[in-house]
Amino acid sequence: MLGQKSITINGAEVGIEAILLGATTSIGGFLFGYDTGQISGMLLFDDFKKRFATHEDDGSYEWKPILQSLLVSLMSIGCLFGALSGAYTADWWGRRRSMSFGVAVFIVGNILQITAINSWIHMMMGRFVAGLGVGNLSVGVPMFQAESSPREIRGAVVASYQLMITIGILVANIVNYAVRGIEDSDASWRIVIGIGICLSLPLGIGIMCVPESPRWLASRGEWDGARHSLARLRGKKNDPTNAVIEDDLREMKEILQKESQVGQGSWLECFSMATSTPKVLYRTLLGIGIHFLQQWSGINYFFYYGATVFESAGVQDPILTQLILGAVNVVMTFYGLYVVEKYGRRWPLFIGALWQAVWLLVFASLGTANPPETHKSTGIMMIVSACMFIASFAGTWGPMAWVVIGETFPLRTRAKQASLATAGNWLGNFMIGFLTPLATSGIGYAFGFVFFGTNLAAALLVYFFLYESRTLSLENVDLMYGQKELKAWTSSKWVPPGYVNRRLRVGQADLSKQDEGRGDHREIA
């Protein structure tokens, strides 16, 4: 039924199932965000500290920096290995089954955490296993969305992954805020973790109800399956020979015929310069660089340790402050969904990185020059700076980094390159989670100067190396990277051969003009 229904977006028909696919798969982002957001508040819960923190001589329970680092960051190491394994499961089992597997691993990890009694190692290993599942999903979801979504909504659908990350963080903050009244009971943190299990089930089950990736099916020679999948995603289930579907299939066949001559890409090929596929090494390093710097923008400095940082700064209710930051994150990500389709990828990422650098400089300068412990106004301005930073990240680097890895790599090595890029994300995530307590105890708020520098580096990377892929099919993105004379900063003007603009082929443009002429004639009559 749904495979026969469509709506018009950007002048083209998009199937209801394509929108349903985007909504269902984005739950993977929600799990990522929820797992990120929950630990910040849990670290402050009395019962959680009594069970897993260090018992001091004065009878209090405090987190040692190294213990706090390991407890928070081991999830990221799990995510890194999960991301690398995601390339295999996505290619072997298909995109849908791979995601169901990721959900199952995530649930096992959460069960391990809930059953922890007094051992921080038990809790840490549970976070590690849950990370394996989240890492697997962080590869599979953006790749599946990019391969399956019609090009007219691809950017917004893939960016919705980041939107759900922000919603997951916000929901975790809300749950933490709601249960803080029972923080002296083990129910406080067990409820927070248990809710994550319940919220993962719609993805694990729902993903099997949407079409498989047509590009994955085509790469295995299942052209009838690819045609049927495309028809459902375009709302043309009963018209699989429609011209739009034929056009999509033709582009797939052209690129697959070229790639089939040299077989399936290996891990080594992702780092090779001697291949028939253009700029493979270039794109591998670009994807890793963008995702590593996304984490080193400083975002998880606030979301992992924000409550602890603001508590030490003298803020009376650090969990409420964290809730405010989460709300800003969600609201501005909706704006990011508009920006990614309206203005493309390059300029929002470039301007966003510069804006983030400015506010982190303000944050670090104020905290260092006038410590918030003795200057109340400094604490207020640091919260404002954090909000302004998060507003920019949520509208630019948050969603668009995932869009970039979803559409930059060639089909031949896409799963492996996406895994490497996502592994770069989780490596950066781990480093932030592990180093922040140590750096904060050593240099305090001056750690913000490091993030100022990494954001400037991110702006330069985008300007000089990232090509603009807005409204291009994945096959034409591959063709664009093969243009030897084309530079990243002029790539937005590039139009594929045989196209009038990035949206219309020559024949389609002529038909459109004829339709307009017939419409005008009818109006005159």
Side-chain angles (χ1 to χ4, degrees):
M1 177 67 77
L2 291 178
Q4 303 171 34
K5 297 184 180 296
S6 65
I7 59 176
T8 301
I9 300 177
N10 291 336
E13 289 196 53
V14 174
I16 296 297
E17 281 200 279
I19 296 172
L20 180 63
L21 179 147
T24 302
T25 52
S26 290
I27 297 173
F30 181 93
L31 300 181
F32 178 179
Y34 189 84
D35 219 49
T36 297
Q38 69 183 24
I39 193 64
S40 181
M42 284 166 50
L43 289 172
L44 301 181
F45 290 168
D46 287 342
D47 185 78
F48 195 79
K49 291 173 71 173
K50 288 177 182 178
R51 289 175 182 272
F52 307 114
T54 302
H55 190 192
E56 302 291 342
D57 294 336
D58 61 1
S60 64
Y61 293 85
E62 300 297 335
W63 293 107
K64 297 293 185 184
I66 187 64
L67 178 59
Q68 191 178 26
S69 294
L70 289 171
L71 189 63
V72 172
S73 63
L74 256 289
M75 189 200 92
S76 302
I77 288 294
C79 289
L80 191 154
F81 286 112
L84 292 174
S85 71
Y88 291 105
T89 58
D91 279 344
W92 291 342
W93 303 336
R95 310 321 193 204
R96 296 186 305 168
R97 290 189 182 91
S98 176
M99 282 185 273
S100 289
F101 171 74
V103 170
V105 175
F106 173 79
I107 290 174
V108 170
N110 275 17
I111 291 173
L112 286 174
Q113 292 177 68
I114 290 175
T115 54
I117 305 299
N118 291 303
S119 170
W120 68 270
I121 296 177
H122 187 158
M123 174 61 68
M124 181 184 69
M125 292 310 299
R127 285 181 57 76
F128 174 80
V129 173
L132 291 173
V134 173
N136 182 285
L137 292 171
S138 67
V139 172
V141 170
M143 180 168 56
F144 183 52
Q145 290 176 328
E147 290 182 347
S148 302
S149 301
R151 71 192 71 169
E152 293 80 13
I153 63 168
R154 187 180 67 231
V157 167
V158 178
S160 69
Y161 178 74
Q162 175 64 25
L163 172 63
M164 293 302 289
I165 291 177
T166 67
I167 292 175
I169 292 172
L170 178 61
V171 170
N173 291 333
I174 291 172
V175 175
N176 280 337
Y177 188 76
V179 301
R180 66 178 182 163
I182 56 170
E183 64 175 306
D184 57 346
S185 166
D186 65 335
S188 57
W189 55 272
R190 294 189 203 274
I191 288 173
V192 174
I193 297 170
I195 288 175
I197 295 177
C198 299
L199 295 173
S200 69
L201 296 176
L203 173 60
I205 298 171
I207 193 63
M208 301 309 295
C209 300
V210 299
E212 178 58 272
S213 164
R215 286 174 174 81
W216 181 77
L217 291 169
S219 69
R220 297 171 64 86
E222 299 179 25
W223 288 102
D224 287 340
R227 180 187 295 277
H228 182 67
S229 180
L230 279 171
R232 290 174 62 185
L233 293 168
R234 286 287 186 181
K236 304 287 185 184
K237 183 177 181 180
N238 293 337
D239 186 17
T241 58
N242 187 276
V244 174
I245 297 165
E246 292 291 348
D247 188 50
D248 288 342
L249 281 172
R250 182 166 55 252
E251 286 189 351
M252 277 188 215
K253 286 181 179 178
E254 288 173 0
I255 202 75
L256 282 172
Q257 284 173 354
K258 294 177 183 177
E259 292 179 351
S260 64
Q261 296 172 3
V262 285
Q264 183 70 25
S266 65
W267 285 102
L268 287 177
E269 184 175 328
C270 296
F271 297 95
S272 174
M273 297 180 67
T275 67
S276 58
T277 307
K279 287 189 172 73
V280 175
L281 175 61
Y282 178 105
R283 288 189 265 180
T284 298
L285 296 178
L286 177 64
I288 293 172
I290 284 177
H291 268 262
F292 182 81
L293 288 171
Q294 187 210 42
Q295 289 302 307
W296 272 90
S297 67
I299 188 64
N300 281 328
Y301 169 74
F302 293 106
F303 285 130
Y304 279 149
Y305 297 107
T308 304
V309 168
F310 290 122
E311 182 184 49
S312 66
V315 175
Q316 291 185 347
D317 196 338
I319 294 181
L320 179 60
T321 302
Q322 199 74 352
L323 185 57
I324 294 170
L325 296 181
V328 171
N329 197 24
V330 171
V331 171
M332 290 306 296
T333 303
F334 279 103
Y335 173 69
L337 299 183
Y338 167 77
V339 169
V340 71
E341 293 296 358
K342 179 68 175 180
Y343 300 107
R345 288 56 162 154
R346 279 177 47 81
W347 280 110
L349 286 171
F350 178 71
I351 295 171
L354 294 179
W355 178 267
Q356 290 155 206
V358 168
W359 285 104
L360 285 165
L361 181 61
V362 172
F363 179 91
S365 299
L366 287 173
T368 304
N370 297 303
E373 295 86 347
T374 56
H375 297 78
K376 184 176 180 181
S377 60
T378 297
I380 295 173
M381 281 305 300
M382 289 175 71
I383 292 174
V384 171
S385 299
C387 285
M388 297 301 287
F389 162 78
I390 289 171
S392 174
F393 180 89
T396 56
W397 275 82
M400 291 182 198
W402 296 104
V403 174
V404 166
I405 68 161
E407 61 190 20
T408 297
F409 306 129
L411 180 61
R412 173 179 166 76
T413 50
R414 182 174 299 150
K416 294 181 176 65
Q417 285 174 295
S419 288
L420 289 168
T422 309
N425 184 290
W426 289 115
L427 176 62
N429 193 306
F430 164 74
M431 292 174 69
I432 295 296
F434 184 78
L435 294 175
T436 293
L438 303 174
T440 300
S441 65
I443 61 175
Y445 300 111
F447 195 30
F449 291 123
V450 175
F451 298 129
F452 167 73
T454 53
N455 276 280
L456 290 181
L460 293 174
L461 177 69
V462 168
Y463 185 82
F464 288 107
F465 298 103
L466 179 64
Y467 285 58
E468 181 56 71
S469 52
R470 175 175 173 261
T471 69
L472 290 176
S473 69
L474 297 185
E475 289 72 27
N476 282 328
V477 170
D478 205 38
L479 186 62
M480 175 177 63
Y481 274 95
Q483 307 303 305
K484 294 182 179 180
E485 302 301 321
L486 187 65
K487 303 299 182 184
W489 52 90
T490 61
S491 59
S492 60
K493 299 177 181 178
W494 183 79
V495 175
Y499 280 72
V500 176
N501 55 44
R502 287 190 166 198
R503 295 182 187 276
L504 294 175
R505 285 180 177 270
V506 174
Q508 291 175 325
D510 293 339
L511 288 172
S512 177
K513 291 179 179 178
Q514 292 175 13
D515 290 341
E516 290 176 5
R518 285 195 293 269
D520 292 342
H521 177 75
R522 284 193 295 270
E523 290 175 9
I524 295 171

